[in-house]
Amino acid sequence: MTMEVPTFNPQQIAQLTKAFHQGAAEASEALARWVNATITVSIDSVDQCPLDVAIRVLGEGDTGVCMCLMEMQGSLTGYMLLAFDDVSGWALSDLLLGRPARSTVEWGDVENSCMLETMNIAGSSYLNGISNDLTVRGRLQVELIPSPPTFLRDFAESLLQTAFMDQAIASSNVVFAQTRFNLRGQALRWTFLLIPDHASLQRLSVILANLRDQ
C-alpha cells in the first residue's frame, strides 16, 4: 500500500523557508572562509512540486549538468545536492587553485576534488543551520548528518531520477529548496536542493506543525 505524501500548506512552506534561510546564512559564512573571498548563498524558493518540474530547475536538453550529491541521515533522511553547469564549477576551481579566470576547460581529478570539498563544507554548514533552526523553534532535537559527497555529471533528468528515487517510487511529488550563489559579485549557476525521502516528508510535516516563531 502506498503512503500518501503530505502536501505542505503555505504556512508550513513559510516555516520551512525560515529554516533554509538559516542554513544558507551558515553556508555563506563557511564558504567565505573556504574560498577566502566574498560569497553569498541565498534562497530563491522553497516549494513542493512534481518531479518533472524539479528536473526543469536544473536544465533540459542535451547540456550536461554536474552534481555533488550527499546522503542525509539523522532525524530526516534523503539527499542534498549541489548542481551546477561546467562554467560555474570551473570558475570556483580556478579560484581555489589560484589559476587565472577561465583557465579550466575540462573536469579532472583535481577539479572534482575542489567541488567535492566545497560541497562537504557548504552542505554540512547548510544542514547544520537548518537543524539548529528546527531544534530551537521546535524545542525538539533535530539532527541532520551528511555523508561524504560524490561527484556526478550527466543530463539533468538522469541525475534527479537517481536523487529522487525513493520518493519517485511512492509519488511524483518532491519538496526542495532552490538556492543561488554569488561569488565576488558574479552570480554562479549553482542550485542547492534538499530532498527529504518519503518517510521524512511525514516526519517533517509533524516538525513543522510544532514550530514556534522566535
Side-chain angles (χ1 to χ4, degrees), residues 109-121:
D109 290 342
V110 175
E111 291 77 17
N112 291 359
S113 295
C114 286
M115 295 309 303
L116 287 172
E117 186 57 30
T118 297
M119 176 57 169
N120 190 46
I121 293 169

Side-chain angles (χ1 to χ4, degrees), residues 68-139:
C68 291
L69 175 68
M70 59 170 49
E71 187 174 357
M72 177 177 65
Q73 300 176 342
S75 303
L76 302 175
T77 54
Y79 299 95
M80 168 170 283
L81 66 88
L82 172 62
F84 47 94
D85 61 11
D86 290 329
V87 174
S88 296
W90 294 336
L92 181 66
S93 296
D94 286 337
L95 176 63
L96 290 172
L97 296 171
R99 298 170 176 169
R102 295 181 292 279
S103 294
T104 303
V105 294
E106 62 182 359
W107 289 104
D109 290 342
V110 175
E111 291 77 17
N112 291 359
S113 295
C114 286
M115 295 309 303
L116 287 172
E117 186 57 30
T118 297
M119 176 57 169
N120 190 46
I121 293 169
S124 298
S125 301
Y126 194 77
L127 288 179
N128 188 60
I130 293 172
S131 64
N132 286 341
D133 179 83
L134 295 178
T135 295
V136 171
R137 292 197 292 131
R139 299 185 180 182

